[in-house]
Amino acid sequence: MKKNISINIFGTIYAIDEDAYQLLDNYINGMKKYFGNKEGGEEIADDIEHRVAELLWEEKEKGMQAVNIETVRTIINKIGNAAEIDATGDVQSNANTDDATASEYSNQNSDDYKNMTFIERIRHSMKTRRLYRNGKDKVLGGVCSGLAEYFGGYEVTLWRLATLILFLIFIWADFAFFLLPGIYLALWVIVPEAKTHEDWLRMRGKEVNAENIKKQIMDEAEQGQNDTDCNRNCRGGGCLKLVFIVLLFFLLLPLIGVFFGLIVATVAMIMTGIGLISLPWNELGPDFITIFNTPGIKPLMWMMLISGIISIGLPIFAIIRRMWSRGKSMGRSAKVSMFIVWVLALATLLTSFIFAGTKIESEFDKIDEEGSTRNGITLSSERDWNRLDEQGWNIVKMSNVNPDITESRTGFGGMPPMAITIRRDQKNEPMMFTMNRVDYYEEGNYVVESLADVKGYGTKVTLSDDSDSTLTTLVLSTQGERLDTMSWEYGSKLPLFFSPDFGSWDSFAHKHGGDKWVYQVSKPFYHQGGNIIQTLSIDTLPVRRAKIRQIQIRKL
């Protein structure tokens, strides 16, 4: 039993079967779409609808009780398809056409196509078909169903399952799991949706001619009826699609977060860029002023800001437009232009970022080199000079020495929180190194103590007064008391330490970094009062490394 509905065409009520109504509605809407953008198209579409009404009235006068699908097909054959009407310009002049003699072109029905291998079918399909999104069989944008049609019309469910499985593999392998959703969104924005009958024929590799357009209209009506019957009688058929939608929703949650993150990033980039360009750099110090005033830095920052906004803002704009356009697709030329602008903006962003980063890094290197150089002597950074300044040391001579000579250490036992390491550079030639410091000491008897780990003979500490008279000399070597052989009871009594920590003694003396600290003390000497100049020197003798933890003058 078929369901009948009532329709009103130009004031006349007709009873029509549901499947016949679907066919007639698709036909009239298809004609309106076809002639919609043509000159005088609205009049032609209106004439077609009037012609349909006239033919229905003729059938009603013959005693027709209800319009069935055969009646609608007869009317369509009398009026003709869009291409025929467009060619003749006369809605009345088209005669009935025999479907059996229609020149239909279909790849799937040819014997050659059936005998092709899988790869040959794909190649043939890519040559004869155009890529469109299939809006009639979509979960999100119809991309998978469009690809399925483009590569041979294979089952779209396999494409969707393959996409999900590949996405899960990317997540499991921790490899660019945003890549597939990003490609999907890009195709959703760039690839047009098949809307007209011509689009559907091109998508399926069929020749665009009068008979194929008419057959496409008929097939769409029958397909609509089948879908209606399926919705009515086989509701369980959409379970797999429902599962796919649920899985895709959870898999796209990170992408949704990225989408909103891009919006936030765009706003942040705009505010940051404006803030950087309008920043009072003079309040940040002379280094920043020098870098910002370097020729070419400010234009590159402007380029980064503008191109960054475009490269992030265009995809966001395209997605928002797609969501709120109510099915109205952007023109192909507009899509191509937008894509070209996006690629150029992205290339500009990357190029300006690389050039700006290289230029800024070069300027910072220059500033660091200037700050780490004094009297022609260059250390690894200004930090090394600052650490030496804190202890009062000044380097006088340095040759064939690695420039990284200081390192932070804990202030164990009241010692300074720094160690000095003097070692050969990559040339591996004999070192020449001299540094000194000056302190005031009262009259009295003194000794000089050291805690060091040296490799090779030739590192010495020389004490002299203002008259350049040598007070004493201590040669640093392995000939002393080694901390790694001392017990806490003995080591804690060494006068070198002011406040040793029992809990840290074992780590400091026995294990720390493999250092073999040796405690040495000089013979007592008399100082009549005044400045004492401490000089740490290494001459051309074969010293491989000298690590000094502490040098101090102690009054007896």
Side-chain angles (χ1 to χ4, degrees), residues 416-436:
M418 181 188 72
I420 299 173
T421 302
I422 306 164
R423 59 185 181 276
R424 294 181 184 178
D425 60 12
Q426 294 179 350
K427 298 178 183 178
N428 202 27
E429 296 180 0
M431 298 183 292
M432 297 186 66
F433 183 84
T434 303
M435 70 176 184
N436 56 33

Side-chain angles (χ1 to χ4, degrees), residues 133-389:
R133 289 184 294 109
N134 187 351
K136 295 183 179 180
D137 183 14
K138 65 180 180 179
V139 174
L140 283 179
V143 174
C144 287
S145 54
L147 290 172
E149 290 285 354
Y150 181 67
F151 288 104
Y154 294 98
E155 178 58 47
V156 66
T157 304
L158 297 178
W159 280 82
R160 290 167 178 160
L161 288 177
T163 302
L164 284 176
I165 292 171
L166 191 60
F167 189 29
L168 291 172
I169 291 174
F170 277 22
I171 293 177
W172 176 77
D174 195 20
F175 173 74
F177 61 92
F178 288 131
L179 181 62
L180 284 180
I183 294 174
Y184 188 94
L185 286 176
L187 292 175
W188 191 355
V189 172
I190 297 173
V191 177
E193 181 180 352
K195 293 183 177 180
T196 66
H197 301 304
E198 291 86 347
D199 292 343
W200 282 94
L201 290 173
R202 294 188 186 100
M203 182 175 70
R204 290 170 177 169
K206 296 181 181 179
E207 185 178 358
V208 179
N209 56 34
E211 291 305 322
N212 279 342
I213 292 175
K214 182 172 69 177
K215 189 175 185 304
Q216 178 66 29
I217 295 173
M218 298 287 193
D219 290 343
E220 287 179 0
E222 293 179 0
Q223 182 63 38
Q225 177 62 27
N226 292 335
D227 292 342
T228 303
D229 294 339
C230 183
N231 290 336
R232 196 165 49 232
N233 302 322
C234 51
R235 297 179 185 275
C239 292
L240 183 59
K241 186 174 182 179
L242 179 61
V243 171
F244 178 80
I245 292 174
V246 173
L247 287 176
L248 194 62
F249 172 76
F250 284 105
L251 290 176
L252 289 180
L253 277 178
L255 198 64
I256 295 172
V258 171
F259 171 71
F260 288 104
L262 286 175
I263 296 177
V264 175
T266 303
V267 176
M269 180 175 290
I270 294 173
M271 300 303 295
T272 302
I274 295 174
L276 285 175
I277 294 173
S278 60
L279 193 68
W281 291 78
N282 58 320
E283 297 181 5
L284 298 179
D287 293 348
F288 288 94
I289 297 176
T290 301
I291 292 175
F292 190 70
N293 289 332
T294 301
I297 292 292
K298 186 178 287 189
L300 286 172
M301 292 181 66
W302 274 111
M303 290 174 63
M304 287 173 58
L305 174 63
I306 296 172
S307 60
I309 293 173
I310 295 174
S311 59
I312 294 177
L314 276 182
I316 295 175
F317 166 77
I319 293 172
I320 294 175
R321 188 186 184 282
R322 169 63 60 182
M323 295 173 64
W324 276 276
S325 63
R326 297 182 179 179
K328 295 181 179 179
S329 178
M330 187 183 298
R332 184 184 297 273
S333 59
K335 290 180 180 179
V336 173
S337 301
M338 183 180 293
F339 181 74
I340 293 174
V341 171
W342 180 76
V343 171
L344 292 176
L346 190 62
T348 303
L349 174 63
L350 294 176
T351 304
S352 57
F353 178 80
I354 292 172
F355 276 99
T358 303
K359 206 170 187 64
I360 291 174
E361 183 180 10
S362 175
E363 293 301 317
F364 268 119
D365 289 342
K366 291 180 182 179
I367 293 173
D368 289 341
E369 185 176 356
E370 292 175 359
S372 59
T373 302
R374 296 183 187 177
N375 301 324
I377 297 174
T378 302
L379 300 182
S380 61
S381 67
E382 191 175 4
R383 176 193 57 195
D384 290 295
W385 285 110
N386 294 335
R387 287 174 177 171
L388 293 173
D389 291 342

Side-chain angles (χ1 to χ4, degrees), residues 48-64:
I48 291 172
E49 195 167 357
H50 276 86
R51 180 60 177 157
V52 170
E54 290 174 0
L55 294 174
L56 285 175
W57 177 256
E58 291 177 2
E59 294 296 328
K60 188 173 184 178
E61 286 188 333
K62 293 177 182 179
M64 179 187 64

